[in-house]
């Protein structure tokens, strides 16, 4: 399972990247707002750190302008993935941009049918938002599992990028049902290390070690 980090926080990206935890980065307009930075400038900086796909999202709603925005974003670096929304115009933009050899991430996916359309339009990645489905009492992980089954049934090579990941349990569940990629905020990725038995185990070892009176260094 590839790990993308869902942030434009350059320090957080660097920290995780140094540990080998970052296969790519995803951003969206809300993440750019949170960063307080210029989209072109911060995206360029991220592409200088991470060699894997870096998603940058268009903001136009019509296909022609989405395509122009996508071409401009793609000029930032060869690893830019143009992110387009799952609308009819977004699918048109996906078809054109992927036809030009650009990576395209189709975002805001909430159904299997939407995921089929994105695959047929040549998407490199499909981004189902699982947390937002859970928010309305639907099952986000079930959607990942259903898309996995349908893509495998027909040999679609679009990668399933589980997004809107809010908890460490989401990560486990997405891995179990075969998401190709998950994108999560740095806090969720870092929380994956935690286990109370690890903490209590260390505490016990420290106590016993102190009683030996020994030193390693
Ligand atoms: O990857 C999509 C993500 O940024 C949306 O997450 O938590 O706002 O639903 P959330």
């Amino acid at each position: 399972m590839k790990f993308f980090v869902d942030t434009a926080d350059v320090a957080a990206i660097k920290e995780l990247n140094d540990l080998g935890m970052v296969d790519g980065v995803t951003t969206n307009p809300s993440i750019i707002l949170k960063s307080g930075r210029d989209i072109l400038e911060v995206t360029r900086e991220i592409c200088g750190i991470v060699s894997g796909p870096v998603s940058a999202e268009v903001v136009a709603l019509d296909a022609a302008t989405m395509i122009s925005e996508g071409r401009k974003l793609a000029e930032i670096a060869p690893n830019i993935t143009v992110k387009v929304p799952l609308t009819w115009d977004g699918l048109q933009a996906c078809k054109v941009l992927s036809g030009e050899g650009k990576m395209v991430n189709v975002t805001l996916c909430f159904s299997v049918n939407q995921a089929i359309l994105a695959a047929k339009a040549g998407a490199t990645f499909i981004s189902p938002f699982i947390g937002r489905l859970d928010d309305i009492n639907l099952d986000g992980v079930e959607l990942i599992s259903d898309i996995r089954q349908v893509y495998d049934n027909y040999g679609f090579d679009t990668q399933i990028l589980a997004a809107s990941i809010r908890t460490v349990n989401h990560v486990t569940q997405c891995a179990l049902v075969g998401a190709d990629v998950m994108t999560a905020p740095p806090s969720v990725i870092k929380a994956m290390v935690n286990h109370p038995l690890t903490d209590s185990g260390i505490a016990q070892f420290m106590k016993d070690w102190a009683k030996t009176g020994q030193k390693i260094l």
Side-chain angles (χ1 to χ4, degrees):
M1 183 191 227
K2 284 179 243 173
F3 272 21
F4 288 2
V5 58
D6 199 30
T7 187
D9 178 338
V10 171
I13 292 169
K14 269 191 192 140
E15 184 192 354
L16 289 168
N17 193 51
D18 287 349
L19 267 178
M21 300 295 170
V22 179
D23 300 303
V25 172
T26 49
T27 64
N28 61 38
S30 306
I31 285 173
I32 296 297
L33 172 68
K34 198 170 162 200
S35 77
R37 300 204 36 202
D38 174 78
I39 183 172
L40 300 180
E41 181 200 280
V42 73
T43 307
R44 190 170 296 112
E45 191 175 343
I46 293 167
C47 289
I49 300 166
V50 175
S51 55
V54 173
S55 288
E57 188 159 343
V58 302
V59 290
L61 297 177
D62 67 286
T65 317
M66 281 184 201
I67 292 164
S68 301
E69 289 179 349
R71 287 177 180 148
K72 180 163 180 181
L73 292 168
E75 279 170 10
I76 295 173
N79 55 327
I80 283 289
T81 300
V82 180
K83 205 169 175 188
V84 300
L86 217 160
T87 59
W88 207 249
D89 283 78
L91 293 172
Q92 289 172 324
C94 175
K95 181 73 182 155
V96 170
L97 293 167
S98 62
E100 293 174 357
K102 298 172 177 58
M103 290 186 286
V104 180
N105 176 359
V106 180
T107 190
L108 289 165
C109 171
F110 295 96
S111 75
V112 173
N113 284 343
Q114 288 180 320
I116 293 172
L117 292 174
K120 292 182 84 67
T124 317
F125 300 102
I126 182 70
S127 289
F129 274 29
I130 69 173
R132 293 193 192 184
L133 282 167
D134 290 357
D135 286 344
I136 58 165
N137 296 318
L138 294 173
D139 189 338
V141 173
E142 187 174 87
L143 174 61
I144 300 292
S145 171
D146 289 349
I147 296 172
R148 176 78 284 151
Q149 188 181 329
V150 170
Y151 276 11
D152 289 350
N153 284 349
Y154 297 100
F156 287 126
D157 58 9
T158 297
Q159 295 181 54
I160 302 172
L161 198 176
S164 184
I165 298 255
R166 308 267 179 77
T167 67
V168 294
N169 287 338
H170 276 156
V171 180
T172 310
Q173 291 167 329
C174 286
L176 285 170
V177 299
D180 298 290
V181 191
M182 73 94 195
T183 188
S187 58
V188 171
I189 295 175
K190 291 181 87 171
M192 289 171 68
V193 79
N194 296 332
H195 197 288
L197 292 178
T198 305
D199 296 342
S200 60
I202 290 173
Q204 184 63 49
F205 287 157
M206 292 303 96
K207 241 176 165 175
D208 292 344
W209 182 248
K211 287 182 200 158
T212 69
Q214 299 179 38
K215 280 192 171 137
I216 294 176
L217 291 175

